[in-house]
Amino acid sequence: MRILFVTSEIYPLIKTGGLADVSGALPAALASLGIDVKVLVPGYPAVLSRLDDVKVITHLPDALLLEGSMPNTRVPVIAIEHHDYFSREGNPYLDKSGCDWPDNAARFGHLSKIAARIASKDSPIGWMPDIVHCNDWQSGLAPAFMHFSGSKAKSVLTIHNIAFQGNFPPDWVERIGLPMSAYTMHGAEFHGHLSFLKAGLFYSNAITTVSPTYAMEIQTPEMGCGMEGLLSHRKHDVHGILNGIDPEEWNPGTDPYLPDHYDASRLEGKLGVKRALQARLGLEQNDGAPLFGIVSRLTYQKGLDLVHACAQGFVDQGAQLAVLGSGDHEFERAFLDLAKRCPGQCAASIGYDEALAHQIMAGSDIFLMPSRFEPCGLNQMYGMRYGTPPVVRKTGGLADSVTDNETGFMFEHTSADALYRTISRAIASYRDKTDFGRIMKNGMEQDFGWTNSAKSYVELYASLMS
Ligand code: ADP
Ligand code: GLC
């Protein structure tokens, strides 16, 4: 079985969020099940400089294809070198001011087109996949290009977040090289725009998303972001497969970013990490203060306005808060202000910091993730693995991975009040060492590895091939 896994980010080469973690770990899990898998990514500078053993494999008129291997897992990666599209530093989607790159349609249309070319009978690399596994809107046009070029390979599109759709003005249809016949309601057209995501949902052979609950939610008008009609029409082709986590990358027993190590049977090291975190962030050195952690993109999705609204209340209960994130400037400012107002109790670090993310995951007592919607969410799983039970809202993958009062604390209604009550419940549990110890231990003993989910993908691929 040959799989081409197409993605716009992959950890540890380039990452903005959970998609990178999945793209780093799932192909490796597939490879360990004996699958012949290659990953296709844009050749951003970070990708080209971090891949091992890179060599040019073919010159195309509109790109250079290089092949290398992942520095950690040895999974083969094909990188598309294209000077105008991909040779820029920084965020793969945004310029320095936080706006989308104006040529994103051309850039990711190109990624999709190259994927389809590799899936054609004249594959330029002499290797043709049975399945092209696309991820999010950035590779959403690949199934459309495959359809129009008569590719024999099958396509799967995984939705990591239906709120990001890649919708562009219609003149891009021809500029990207799609036939105008694709631009209809039964195709890539979406409210007068060319939609990369809709094209993928329409033309792919199967659709997956990253948790069973989110697979149901996106078929409703409340959460389908306009795609619910198409998704419920295709409901037999929609599958929810919960993401796993990389248990080596996220292991409190060996994590190189931590000053101290621990596991479920030897928890003492966790206190050492908490003390170091409090010192690093300028929080009061207080072992007994329940320390809440947040590591997140700071966007409306993540419900952090609810945290901000009730922060004073839980600080008054003696709790501390450590926030790491970046995103909407309004949220960044709000958390910086909060930190200024509550010195020693609240700390805000704005930016992207892999080491600090691991330290907050391990050094906090409780992790906060009150998302309005959450396709899967990885941080709540990292939290459980690190003995840092999460407070989550009952939605998407949070509902599928956390059990209230067993591995974390859950609430349903999106309000600061409901969150505050749940945070208070978590603080009460924290102060009762036996109860909190039970919840920590339950979480640390969960198996969130990729093996089962990778097997579900293999079953899906096999069903498409037969
Ligand atoms: P999403 O993909 O919606 O952002 P996930 O929970 O699936 O949410 O994954 C987020 C990933 O990004 C996690 O690995 C998390 O640790 C990481 N992350 C998010 N923000 C930051 C940050 N500011 N610094 C470091 N890592 C971050
Ligand atoms: C998206 C989602 C997140 C999910 C991640 C990986 O970024 O917002 O919930 O965990 O993709 O699938």
Side-chain angles (χ1 to χ4, degrees):
M1 195 186 272
R2 290 181 300 270
I3 309 294
L4 182 68
F5 189 92
V6 191
T7 182
S8 54
E9 51 182 280
I10 179 166
Y11 181 84
L13 309 181
I14 181 143
K15 166 167 166 178
T16 71
L19 171 60
D21 292 10
V22 173
S23 303
L26 172 57
L30 293 170
S32 67
L33 294 174
I35 307 291
D36 178 4
V37 56
K38 292 184 196 288
V39 180
L40 179 70
V41 283
Y44 317 111
V47 165
L48 298 179
S49 66
R50 290 177 188 160
L51 272 178
D52 282 348
D53 312 321
V54 193
K55 56 178 192 306
V56 174
I57 48 170
T58 188
H59 289 261
L60 301 175
D62 53 355
L64 201 59
L65 298 188
L66 300 106
E67 184 162 341
S69 59
M70 289 297 284
N72 47 351
T73 60
R74 318 311 305 163
V75 167
V77 174
I78 302 167
I80 307 170
E81 190 174 283
H82 187 292
H83 185 267
D84 292 345
Y85 292 160
F86 302 128
S87 298
R88 22 186 122 145
E89 300 287 344
N91 188 294
Y93 319 119
L94 309 174
D95 64 18
K96 279 212 178 66
S97 61
C99 296
D100 289 344
W101 294 110
D103 56 350
N104 273 350
R107 300 170 72 225
F108 296 107
H110 193 64
L111 170 67
S112 300
K113 203 185 292 177
I114 300 280
R117 232 181 278 165
I118 293 175
S120 73
K121 65 178 185 334
D122 319 307
S123 167
I125 62 168
W127 177 94
M128 193 202 134
D130 301 301
I131 306 278
V132 177
H133 185 156
C134 305
N135 292 276
D136 274 352
W137 71 266
Q138 290 88 348
S139 44
L141 287 192
F145 282 121
M146 288 167 67
H147 171 85
F148 288 103
S149 65
S151 169
K152 294 267 182 316
K154 304 288 186 202
S155 56
V156 174
L157 178 80
T158 296
I159 305 167
H160 295 265
N161 192 334
I162 206 161
F164 299 120
Q165 304 184 332
N167 299 333
F168 300 95
D171 58 314
W172 279 105
V173 176
E174 287 190 306
R175 288 170 74 184
I176 284 171
L178 266 185
M180 271 323 273
S181 58
Y183 190 66
T184 72
M185 199 173 103
H186 299 292
E189 188 271 343
F190 184 63
H191 297 292
H193 283 73
L194 162 66
S195 171
F196 278 45
L197 183 68
K198 167 130 183 257
L201 298 180
F202 187 84
Y203 290 106
S204 60
N205 297 99
I207 298 165
T208 74
T209 188
V210 289
S211 69
T213 295
Y214 195 61
M216 305 302 293
E217 290 172 340
I218 54 179
Q219 296 180 41
T220 66
E222 294 74 34
M223 298 186 70
C225 296
M227 301 290 172
E228 61 277 5
L230 174 54
L231 287 167
S232 35
H233 180 72
R234 295 202 62 187
K235 63 173 181 276
H236 299 299
D237 301 322
V238 178
H239 310 267
I241 302 177
L242 193 70
N243 285 334
I245 63 173
D246 182 336
E248 292 314 312
E249 201 60 52
W250 292 91
N251 180 355
T254 54
D255 190 328
Y257 295 116
L258 303 185
D260 225 332
H261 293 102
Y262 61 94
D263 58 38
S265 60
R266 236 178 352 109
L267 274 171
E268 310 76 53
K270 188 164 166 68
L271 183 59
V273 186
K274 176 174 178 176
R275 288 177 179 158
L277 181 67
Q278 286 171 325
R280 171 169 179 182
L281 297 178
L283 294 169
E284 213 171 82
Q285 288 286 327
N286 179 346
D287 293 352
L291 172 49
F292 287 82
I294 292 176
V295 178
S296 184
R297 288 184 294 115
L298 301 180
T299 64
Y300 181 75
Q301 171 190 349
K302 302 292 179 178
L304 299 172
D305 46 321
L306 309 179
V307 175
H308 190 262
C310 63
Q312 191 65 52
F314 62 85
V315 165
D316 290 346
Q317 292 192 48
Q320 299 182 341
L321 176 67
V323 181
L324 166 65
S326 64
D328 296 354
H329 297 321
E330 188 191 332
F331 287 119
E332 295 181 350
R333 266 195 304 274
F335 281 109
L336 287 171
D337 286 349
L338 179 70
K340 219 183 262 167
R341 267 207 327 270
C342 309
Q345 300 305 122
C346 296
S349 309
I350 302 304
Y352 187 90
D353 186 335
E354 197 68 40
L356 184 56
H358 284 243
Q359 289 155 10
I360 290 181
M361 206 52 85
S364 306
D365 298 301
I366 299 157
F367 193 79
L368 285 181
M369 203 163 168
S371 307
R372 287 194 164 74
F373 66 94
E374 196 60 74
C376 177
L378 299 171
N379 275 326
Q380 79 282 9
M381 299 196 233
Y382 300 148
M384 286 182 269
R385 178 148 170 82
Y386 277 58
T388 309
V391 168
V392 299
R393 201 175 85 72
K394 188 174 182 192
T395 183
L398 300 175
D400 291 340
S401 58
V402 179
T403 310
D404 186 37
N405 209 29
E406 291 298 326
T407 57
F409 307 91
M410 189 158 353
F411 65 104
E412 198 158 348
H413 188 56
T414 307
S415 73
D417 205 40
L419 171 62
Y420 183 65
R421 280 198 303 271
T422 312
I423 286 179
S424 302
R425 194 149 64 79
I427 293 177
S429 166
Y430 174 80
R431 295 205 161 120
D432 169 351
K433 293 288 168 239
T434 317
D435 190 55
F436 198 72
R438 169 185 66 85
I439 294 176
M440 281 171 80
K441 188 156 174 287
N442 288 343
M444 293 182 90
E445 283 169 354
Q446 301 287 305
D447 173 11
F448 290 120
W450 265 104
T451 313
N452 288 334
S453 302
K455 282 185 187 152
S456 303
Y457 280 106
V458 174
E459 276 166 28
L460 174 66
Y461 302 150
S463 74
L464 295 176
M465 287 165 62
S466 65

